[in-house]
Amino acid sequence: MTGATGHAPVAPDPPRHLVGASLASAAGSLPTHLIPLTITAVVAGNSVSAETAGWIASAMLIGQLLSSVALPLFGVASISRLWSAAASLALLAGLILSGAGGVPSLLAGWFIVGLCCGVLLFLGTVSAAGYARPALAFSLRLGVVLVLAGACTALIQLTGAAATYGTYLLWLAVAFAAVLAVGNGLYAPAVQAAPVSGTGEPGRFTVKMAAGLVAAFILFVGQTGLVAYVLFSAVERGIELEGASWTFAAGKVGAGLWLIAAS
């Protein structure tokens, strides 16, 4: 990994590269946003209990955590177009595997999806951090993620794709293929700045950094389960799942459009 050394200035990357990275990163975030609908589709179409279907989130997030942590630990500084395309194809393969039948295939498929999502999220984070205006880049990235997640949630409700798992997987595969094709077409790795000798000290992993990561993990690790719990609690209290999903979709799209406009 690159240490905390000084760098010579470089020409900023074209905005389309950032848009491409944002779309790829949005695809990597999409399965997490759609977990409640995914669990609903699995339970409806595969005769799997809600408790068993809940393991999908665990399998996916474990895979995402492994790839997200492994990439920086192995000194990976950026994701090439080739590796981005490979991760995109592997993600689609994981979706297909999850529908092959049986709980092992279901969990293995979503574990692979999680691994690929970690790569795509790492790609988006590194691209935004290396952009000439990081604040704009991160706002745009998050805005694209929220708009895409809200739009997909709304389209799933409109088409009734979550009624069966097979239909849901087909819908997901088409959506992922379209978004990743555009994202990979626009994306290019950020131009790496040349280090300037004699400035700064090598970066070190400190106790303070570890404490920050632990705090972030504790605060956000339960987000996915919390959203699913809120949806199911709403249904138990007499609110239709479709109505609750529309509320989530509207909130995501509204927040995403505001972030994009602000950036």
Side-chain angles (χ1 to χ4, degrees):
M1 296 178 65
T2 305
T5 58
H7 291 81
V10 295
D13 295 316
R16 68 182 181 86
H17 293 174
L18 178 61
V19 173
S22 298
L23 286 171
S25 181
S29 298
L30 190 57
T32 304
H33 288 272
L34 296 180
I35 273 293
L37 294 176
T38 301
I39 293 176
T40 301
V42 170
V43 173
N46 280 18
S47 299
V48 175
S49 66
E51 291 78 9
T52 301
W55 283 100
I56 292 174
S58 299
M60 185 186 70
L61 292 174
I62 289 171
Q64 182 177 314
L65 178 65
L66 287 177
S67 57
S68 298
V69 172
L71 288 171
L73 285 180
F74 283 105
V76 177
S78 64
I79 304 295
S80 67
R81 263 182 168 173
L82 178 62
W83 280 106
S84 176
S88 302
L89 292 174
L91 189 153
L92 295 175
L95 287 176
I96 295 172
L97 176 62
S98 73
V103 175
S105 296
L106 180 70
L107 298 182
W110 282 102
F111 175 76
I112 293 172
V113 169
L115 285 173
C116 299
C117 287
V119 175
L120 296 174
L121 289 171
F122 179 83
L123 178 156
T125 301
V126 170
S127 297
Y131 197 68
R133 294 170 60 191
L136 178 151
F138 277 104
S139 296
L140 176 63
R141 171 179 170 271
L142 181 57
V144 171
V145 168
L146 291 174
V147 169
L148 182 63
C152 284
T153 301
L155 287 174
I156 289 172
Q157 293 301 320
L158 284 173
T159 59
T164 65
Y165 190 55
T167 304
Y168 182 74
L169 276 185
L170 178 61
W171 193 97
L172 274 188
V174 172
F176 273 115
V179 173
L180 288 170
V182 176
N184 285 317
L186 296 175
Y187 169 70
V191 178
Q192 298 295 317
V196 178
S197 59
T199 58
E201 296 180 357
R204 292 176 295 179
F205 190 70
T206 65
V207 175
K208 185 176 181 180
M209 293 178 185
L213 288 174
V214 170
F217 181 80
I218 292 173
L219 287 172
F220 294 105
V221 69
Q223 265 192 338
T224 302
L226 177 63
V227 171
Y229 174 78
V230 169
L231 281 177
F232 280 108
S233 296
V235 172
E236 290 178 353
R237 295 173 187 274
I239 300 175
E240 294 184 359
L241 179 61
E242 182 178 355
S245 299
W246 277 112
T247 302
F248 274 89
K252 291 178 188 296
V253 171
L257 290 176
W258 184 89
L259 280 171
I260 292 173
S263 66

